[in-house]
């Protein structure tokens, strides 16, 4: 039993490394838009397609790939998605044509969407039910590290090396992760695959719809505000570039660490984790909206905000697990699509608020979104107080 348990946790770490390499590849272009624009002779707005094309394809790919793979061993699926990541990175580092770069990013979108639709349910099958929260926090921790270091790493390397060398780092990492997964990942057989009607059945359930609305409000509220935090600190708080860079780095580190704290809380009460996370979001966003001109209060509120965002992805993922029950393979890809689209939707609505009112309105918009989430968590029975999450068999 000891070896079996140890091997299961090694497999979890292999999946977490996959999450790390995929998130790093997904967000690298955010720190490379100027270099992409210059290297491929396109505008920075056009260069932004390398970011949006990935998220859009990820949203579409999840449900489609879940149906297509049927009962295929999830080990094979995870390895196949890792191979797509390698292909994407090889094309990105070798091409001299912007069109090919976009194709590479589309391939990455397939890998991202498929990974989050399949890997999260696969890792839940590797450990006992009471350990799912811990396993999920480890996988999301890999995602968090990739998210935190991708942009500063890209910016640093772009300043010292050729653009293609940056993509080469992602390629080497992806190959290393594939080898590790090949060695550590066990077979994860499935008794049955997901059919199109399984998605339709889920969408008829009020509880499932409520969970998706909560996810839209949480993710959309986060990115409606966070997308415009840099101009907020520059225009409202009057923060200089050096201090702003330090604040953003601290935000990333704190959000990464709070993900693991969320795992301990979730083992005791999922509802406590979700309600606590939303309350922290509200306090921080109200603080930064009301006292944005005060540097000290704004920074403190922003760091508190980091705690909430670090806990939110784990809370949402466990909410999906606990609501879906045996239908987790069908619910997970829908959730992936909703998550990806909510990022774009939140940023879009926040941008409209900034353009029509002012940059502070984006912070108020985020606070309003989380107030709605708190009401939903209070008046509905979507979340109970048990800490264990259900798994598919």
């Amino acid at each position: 039993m000891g070896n079996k348990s140890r091997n299961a946790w090694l497999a979890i770490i292999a999946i977490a490394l996959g999450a790390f390499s995929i998130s790093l590849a997904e967000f690298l272009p955010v720190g490379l838009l100027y270099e992409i624009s210059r290297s491929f002779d396109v505008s920075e707005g056009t260069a932004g397609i390398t970011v949006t094309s990935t998220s859009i394809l990820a949203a579409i790919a999840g449900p489609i790939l879940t149906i297509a793979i049927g009962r295929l061993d999830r080990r094979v699926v995870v390895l196949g998605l890792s191979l797509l990541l390698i292909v994407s990175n090889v094309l990105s580092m070798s091409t001299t044509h912007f069109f090919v770069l976009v194709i590479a990013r589309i391939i990455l979108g397939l890998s991202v969407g498929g990974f989050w639709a399949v890997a999260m349910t696969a890792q839940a099958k590797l450990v006992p039910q009471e350990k799912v929260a811990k396993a999920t926090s480890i996988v999301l921790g890999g995602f968090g590290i990739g998210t935190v270091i991708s942009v500063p790493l890209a910016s640093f390397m772009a300043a010292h090396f050729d653009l293609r060398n940056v993509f080469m780092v992602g390629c080497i990492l992806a190959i290393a992760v594939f080898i590790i997964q090949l060695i550590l990942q066990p077979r994860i057989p499935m008794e049955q695959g997901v059919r199109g009607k399984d998605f339709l059945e889920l969408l008829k359930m009020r509880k499932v719809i409520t969970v998706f609305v909560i996810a839209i409000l949480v993710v959309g509220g986060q990115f409606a505000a966070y997308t415009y935090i840099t101009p907020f600190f520059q225009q409202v708080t009057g923060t200089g570039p050096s201090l702003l860079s330090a604040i953003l780095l601290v935000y990333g580190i704190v959000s990464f660490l709070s993900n693991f704290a969320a795992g301990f809380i979730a083992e005791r009460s999922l509802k406590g984790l979700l309600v606590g996370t939303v309350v922290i979001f509200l306090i921080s966003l109200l603080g930064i909206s009301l006292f944005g001109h005060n540097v000290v209060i704004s920074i403190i509120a922003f760091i508190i905000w980091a705690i909430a965002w670090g806990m939110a992805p784990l809370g949402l993922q466990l909410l999906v697990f606990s609501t879906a029950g045996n239908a987790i393979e069908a619910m997970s890809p829908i959730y992936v699509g909703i998550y990806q689209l909510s990022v774009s939707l939140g940023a879009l609505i926040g941008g409209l608020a900034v353009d029509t009112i002012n940059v502070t309105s984006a912070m108020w918009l985020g606070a309003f979104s989380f107030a709605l989430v708190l009401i939903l968590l209070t008046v509905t029975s979507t979340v109970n107080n048990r800490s264990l999450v259900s798994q598919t068999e």
Side-chain angles (χ1 to χ4, degrees):
M1 291 296 293
N3 286 336
K4 184 177 180 181
S5 175
R6 182 183 63 190
N7 291 340
W9 287 109
L10 288 174
I12 295 293
I13 291 173
I15 294 175
L17 289 172
F20 167 66
S21 61
I22 279 180
S23 64
L24 185 76
E26 182 176 5
F27 295 107
L28 271 179
V30 175
L32 297 172
L33 290 184
Y34 173 73
E35 286 73 20
I36 291 173
S37 170
R38 185 181 61 181
S39 297
F40 292 94
D41 194 24
V42 297
S43 68
E44 289 191 39
T46 300
I49 295 174
T50 59
V51 178
T52 57
S53 60
T54 301
S55 62
I56 292 172
L57 260 294
I60 297 171
I64 295 175
L65 287 177
T66 304
I67 295 174
I69 60 179
R71 295 192 301 166
L72 189 62
D73 182 353
R74 292 322 187 230
R75 175 182 187 268
V76 175
V77 176
V78 170
L79 290 173
L81 294 170
S82 294
L83 280 175
L84 281 180
L85 174 61
I86 293 172
V87 170
S88 171
N89 279 303
V90 169
L91 285 176
S92 296
M93 75 177 190
S94 60
T95 185
T96 56
H97 302 285
F98 183 72
F99 176 76
V100 177
L101 179 62
V102 173
I103 295 298
R105 300 299 297 176
I106 289 173
I107 293 173
L108 176 61
L110 296 175
S111 179
V112 171
F115 179 87
W116 290 114
V118 174
M120 295 306 291
T121 56
Q123 58 89 23
K125 285 180 166 291
L126 293 171
V127 294
Q129 188 175 355
E130 65 272 14
K131 298 296 184 181
V132 170
K134 182 179 179 181
T136 304
S137 70
I138 291 173
V139 174
L140 290 176
F143 170 77
I145 295 174
T147 304
V148 168
I149 73 169
S150 56
V151 177
L153 175 66
S155 298
F156 173 80
M157 290 199 65
H160 297 85
F161 304 99
D162 182 80
L163 174 65
R164 286 159 187 80
N165 289 334
V166 184
F167 288 119
M168 184 183 297
V169 170
C171 187
I172 293 171
L173 175 63
I175 293 171
V177 168
F178 176 79
I179 294 172
I180 292 171
Q181 288 176 339
L182 192 63
I183 296 170
L184 298 180
Q185 205 72 58
R187 290 185 67 252
I188 309 175
M190 300 297 297
E191 291 185 3
Q192 65 180 35
V194 177
R195 300 161 297 180
K197 71 176 186 178
D198 295 330
F199 294 130
L200 297 177
E201 289 297 322
L202 277 175
L203 295 175
K204 293 177 183 178
M205 299 170 60
R206 180 179 299 178
K207 194 172 184 179
V208 170
I209 295 301
T210 303
V211 170
F212 289 153
V213 170
I214 289 173
I216 290 169
L217 290 172
V218 169
V219 179
Q222 160 71 12
F223 284 94
Y226 182 72
T227 303
Y228 305 98
I229 196 63
T230 295
F232 177 86
F233 271 115
Q234 291 171 335
Q235 300 171 24
V236 179
T237 309
T239 306
S242 298
L243 179 58
L244 180 56
S245 297
I247 294 169
L248 291 171
L249 178 60
V250 172
Y251 180 96
I253 294 171
V254 171
S255 64
F256 166 68
L257 294 175
S258 67
N259 165 70
F260 295 102
F264 291 105
I265 299 172
E267 289 178 352
R268 292 157 179 79
S269 172
L270 176 55
K271 187 168 186 176
L273 171 63
L274 288 167
V275 172
T277 298
V278 173
V279 168
I280 295 173
F281 264 125
L282 264 178
I283 291 172
S284 59
L285 281 164
L286 287 173
I288 208 167
S289 299
L290 291 168
F291 304 102
H293 293 283
N294 187 298
V295 176
V296 175
I297 294 178
S298 294
I299 292 174
I300 292 173
F302 188 55
I303 301 307
I304 294 173
W305 180 354
I307 296 173
W309 180 238
M311 297 193 296
L314 177 63
L316 288 174
Q317 186 67 62
L318 294 179
L319 178 59
V320 170
F321 279 148
S322 64
T323 304
N326 290 331
I328 184 61
E329 279 277 324
M331 188 166 176
S332 190
I334 301 176
Y335 168 68
V336 170
I338 286 174
Y339 189 103
Q340 293 283 341
L341 291 176
S342 296
V343 172
S344 300
L345 181 64
L348 174 63
I349 296 175
L352 291 174
V354 170
D355 289 342
T356 56
I357 307 175
N358 55 43
V359 71
T360 304
S361 65
M363 308 301 130
W364 281 110
L365 185 60
F368 176 72
S369 183
F370 287 107
L372 293 178
V373 176
L374 188 58
I375 292 171
L376 278 175
L377 291 174
T378 303
V379 303
T380 67
S381 58
T382 300
V383 192
N384 55 39
N385 284 310
R386 65 194 178 104
S387 59
L388 304 181
V389 295
S390 301
Q391 294 175 250
T392 52
E393 299 296 335

